[in-house]
Amino acid sequence: MAAKRRQPSATNVRRCGIYIRVSTEMQVDRNSLSTQKAQLLSYVESHGWTIANVFTDAGLSAKDTRRPAFQEMLRWAKEGKLDVILVTKLDRISRNMMDLLNLIDDLKEWHVDFVSSSQSFDTSTPMGMLILNMLGSFAQFEREMTGERVRENMRERAKKGVWSGGQTPFGYRLNPDTKFLS
């Protein structure tokens, strides 16, 4: 049974959930979160929306959607506390196509719009869904290619005896000057 369409508020002001995320602690340290937030606050203001909440996942990958702030935002959406979810780019949400498509289905059921401030698409139209699928596919492709490059790099470093991190293998010592095992 389809969910009943929520009626707009008396003032017609849309309640927006802002979602910001970075993958690494280095990005957290470089003010990437504050840059995303500033862009999104400006977007909200230009559209006359109201900010219901800012949801932030710092230093967490987009390989899937199991992130604390993201899950909290979904609870808000399901409970009818949001009319729109705003991100800077689609890959802030997920780099997994299946997760992304499931999310869009859930948001449609809850009558919550999904907006990217830097990528124009409207998921209520066939063209918008095509663009979303293309962007989502590229995000997943980028994640998989990055993983492949990292694995190749780590294999080459291991062949050369260069330590890539983690616990030093039993029977070896790490030379702090060269990062080689001996």
Side-chain angles (χ1 to χ4, degrees):
M1 181 172 171
K4 186 177 177 185
R5 180 79 179 162
R6 277 197 299 269
Q7 296 299 314
S9 64
T11 60
N12 280 336
V13 173
R14 299 185 79 199
R15 299 163 299 161
C16 179
I18 289 177
Y19 182 71
I20 56 179
R21 180 196 65 78
V22 293
S23 300
T24 66
E25 290 301 321
M26 186 184 310
Q27 291 170 314
V28 172
D29 295 342
R30 289 185 178 163
N31 294 322
S32 189
L33 290 170
S34 60
T35 300
Q36 286 181 51
K37 186 175 180 180
Q39 290 171 347
L40 296 175
L41 292 175
S42 176
Y43 192 93
V44 167
E45 185 178 332
S46 72
H47 284 76
W49 300 342
T50 186
I51 299 167
N53 200 351
V54 176
F55 303 91
T56 304
D57 281 316
L60 297 173
S61 170
K63 67 180 179 180
D64 58 46
T65 55
R66 292 179 299 233
R67 299 181 300 273
F70 184 80
Q71 291 301 316
E72 179 184 1
M73 181 179 65
L74 291 184
R75 280 191 296 279
W76 278 51
K78 188 174 185 176
E79 292 169 2
K81 297 177 182 179
L82 301 175
D83 300 307
V84 63
I85 289 175
L86 178 65
V87 296
T88 54
K89 294 189 312 185
L90 184 63
D91 65 7
R92 298 299 86 203
I93 293 292
S94 181
R95 292 181 186 250
N96 178 299
M97 203 55 203
M98 187 60 71
D99 281 348
L100 183 60
L101 293 175
N102 288 334
L103 168 69
I104 296 303
D105 280 347
D106 288 343
L107 294 178
K108 281 183 179 182
E109 181 180 326
W110 304 329
H111 304 289
V112 175
D113 294 326
F114 177 70
V115 176
S116 165
S117 66
S118 65
Q119 301 160 321
S120 271
F121 58 83
D122 177 354
T123 56
S124 69
T125 67
M127 182 61 77
M129 284 304 296
L130 174 64
I131 293 170
L132 175 95
N133 276 278
M134 288 174 27
L135 292 171
S137 292
F138 280 117
Q140 182 168 331
F141 172 74
E142 182 182 343
R143 177 179 65 89
E144 291 170 358
M145 290 302 296
T146 299
E148 190 173 288
R149 284 190 298 270
V150 167
R151 284 187 297 278
E152 288 171 2
N153 188 18
M154 291 181 80
R155 271 192 298 275
E156 286 303 310
R157 289 174 60 87
K159 285 179 187 176
K160 294 176 184 174
V162 179
W163 185 237
S164 292
Q167 187 174 356
T168 306
F170 181 75
Y172 288 87
R173 288 186 314 218
L174 178 63
N175 181 329
D177 297 326
T178 64
K179 302 295 184 201
F180 281 83
L181 296 174
S182 56

